[in-house]
Structure formats: structure tokens, C-alpha cells
Amino acid sequence: AQSVTQLDSHVSVSEGTPVLLRCNYSSSYSPSLFWYVQHPNKGLQLLLKYTSAATLVKGINGFEAEFKKSETSFHLTKPSAHMSDAAEYFCVVSDRGGYQKVTFGTGTKLQVIP
Amino acid sequence: EPEVTQTPSHQVTQMGQEVILRCVPISNHLYFYWYRQILGQKVEFLVSFYNNEISEKSEIFDDQFSVERPDGSNFTLKIRSTKLEDSAMYFCASGEATGSYEQYFGPGTRLTVT
């Protein structure tokens, strides 16, 4: 069985400061992990993915995430927040190669204060 | 860049009516999915489809739901007799067969049942 927990439903940061969105997962197999972003009234856009290669994954728009098996975590970070980063972020896990269903976390709404 | 498209963007229907939500996956993809997101809740898996048949479905995907790939480009979700609780955003996704495990999501169809 697979599950994912996003520890914060809302995160607020000032523009130019670091972003940390936390995600912990549970998986019976070696998981594939993803972060998606959803801007208001838009679809889901893939930010980055981990599929058993390098544990530090770089994505689009300056985001990165580190897969830590010992902590079952896949936290999303960005060194400096931009106003355009304000959106909802979903951590997603698949423990069967991703061809079957993926399981979404409950989402974290990121607010960026000017 | 190729993308998944969905029509309509917003559908309003009366309880008990049938609706068909349409998706055009990315052309060389072989895996197809439907997910839904009830307002304020997390994205939930409905069904996956491969090789012209359902490969997995959730407990939400009961007899009132069906999927079809009527031609080489469209992938549809039919809800036979809509209920108020079917009101949600429905996302289509598609995936390629090369092991990247990434699912590409469409912008969603907002279904409102009155």
C-alpha cells in the first residue's frame, strides 16, 4: 500500500526567502515520487520526479527535492521564493512503477508575501 | 510541447442526467487515467486504462462510471446518472511506455451537478 502525508496545509513565506514544503511517504516497494503544482484554475504541472536515480532531484523553476529513504521523506525546497510560486503543491507517490494509480497528498498552499 | 486536453472546461448538469467528459491524451501515450478532486479535498484516483481495457479502478469507480477509447485519440469518462456528490474537478492523465513513470495531466473539467 502507498500513502503520502503533506505535513503543512498552508505555508507562508516572504518573497526572496527559502521555501520548504514537507512530504513523507509510505510504500511497500521502491517508490516513484513526484511533486506537482496547481495554480488557481489551472491543471496539474509536474515540478520534478524521483524514480530511483539520483536522490537529489532538480526540477523546473528552481525547485529541488531530496529523497531520503531513512526518513521516508521527499521535501520540496527552493532557495528564494518568487511571487509566481504562489500555488498549491501536491506530493505524489507510486509504488508500482507509476503505470498504475498514483496517490496524492492533501496539498500544501504556498503563499508568498511581497 | 504536447499536452493533454480536456473538454468541456466546465459542465453543469442536473441530477440523474448522463454526462460524458472528454480527453485527448498525448498522441504516443499508451496509459490513460481519470482522477477527481472534490472541492477542498485531495485528488483521488478513479481508473487506469491500458491496451483497451481497465487495468485498475478504485472503489469510487462504481457501475455508474465507464471509460472508453472510442477512436485513436479520445478517452472518455461517462457518468450514467449523476448525483450531487459527483460534483468535482475531473482530471485526465496519460503516460508513455518508456519507463519515465510520469503522468501528464490535463487542465481538468469542472462538473457541477444541481
Side-chain angles (χ1 to χ4, degrees):
Chain A
Q2 59 193 26
S3 67
V4 63
T5 302
Q6 290 184 246
L7 297 152
D8 306 295
S9 58
H10 287 85
V11 168
S12 185
V13 301
S14 297
E15 190 177 17
T17 64
V19 175
L20 170 64
L21 305 183
R22 298 182 293 167
C23 172
N24 286 95
Y25 70 91
S26 172
S27 173
S28 304
Y29 304 91
S30 295
S32 296
L33 291 154
F34 311 83
W35 276 99
Y36 284 86
V37 61
Q38 185 180 30
H39 287 93
N41 301 313
K42 300 284 187 185
L44 295 157
Q45 181 185 19
L46 180 72
L47 276 180
L48 48 79
K49 62 186 177 188
Y50 166 78
T51 54
S52 77
T55 56
L56 182 61
V57 181
K58 292 188 187 301
I60 62 171
N61 301 334
F63 284 94
E64 61 182 42
E66 187 171 7
F67 173 72
K68 291 187 177 179
K69 188 175 179 180
S70 60
E71 299 176 10
T72 61
S73 69
F74 190 59
H75 301 334
L76 181 71
T77 60
K78 182 173 179 177
S80 175
H82 192 273
M83 294 300 296
S84 61
D85 294 329
E88 187 152 24
Y89 292 79
F90 294 95
C91 184
V92 176
V93 64
S94 173
D95 66 6
R96 284 178 287 166
Y99 292 137
Q100 300 303 324
K101 69 175 184 181
V102 296
T103 298
F104 279 72
T106 48
T108 298
K109 275 203 172 74
L110 176 65
Q111 180 186 20
V112 182
I113 302 166
Chain B
E1 187 178 327
E3 56 184 21
V4 177
T5 59
Q6 291 185 242
T7 53
S9 57
H10 191 191
Q11 171 100 42
V12 181
T13 190
Q14 288 191 326
M15 199 166 50
Q17 296 296 303
E18 175 183 286
V19 294
I20 297 176
L21 308 183
R22 291 185 166 79
C23 169
V24 179
I26 295 173
S27 63
N28 63 339
H29 286 186
L30 299 178
Y31 298 85
F32 312 109
Y33 313 84
W34 284 102
Y35 295 81
R36 79 172 185 192
Q37 184 182 29
I38 294 172
L39 188 64
Q41 299 185 24
K42 68 178 188 178
V43 177
E44 301 171 289
F45 169 79
L46 290 178
V47 66
S48 58
F49 191 87
Y50 171 71
N51 202 24
N52 284 319
E53 60 183 25
I54 291 173
S55 48
E56 188 174 3
K57 60 183 181 179
S58 71
E59 57 275 8
I60 303 167
F61 194 87
D62 61 21
D63 290 345
Q64 69 160 343
F65 289 92
S66 62
V67 289
E68 198 176 35
R69 189 152 161 80
D71 53 41
S73 59
N74 289 285
F75 179 52
T76 61
L77 174 70
K78 183 194 290 187
I79 309 175
R80 256 179 277 285
S81 176
T82 50
K83 305 179 190 128
L84 293 176
E85 54 265 35
D86 294 327
S87 295
M89 180 75 92
Y90 288 80
F91 292 104
C92 172
S94 69
E96 54 193 339
T98 57
S100 71
Y101 306 145
E102 178 181 343
Q103 294 183 19
Y104 293 75
F105 284 81
T109 292
R110 181 164 297 286
L111 176 65
T112 303
V113 182
T114 61

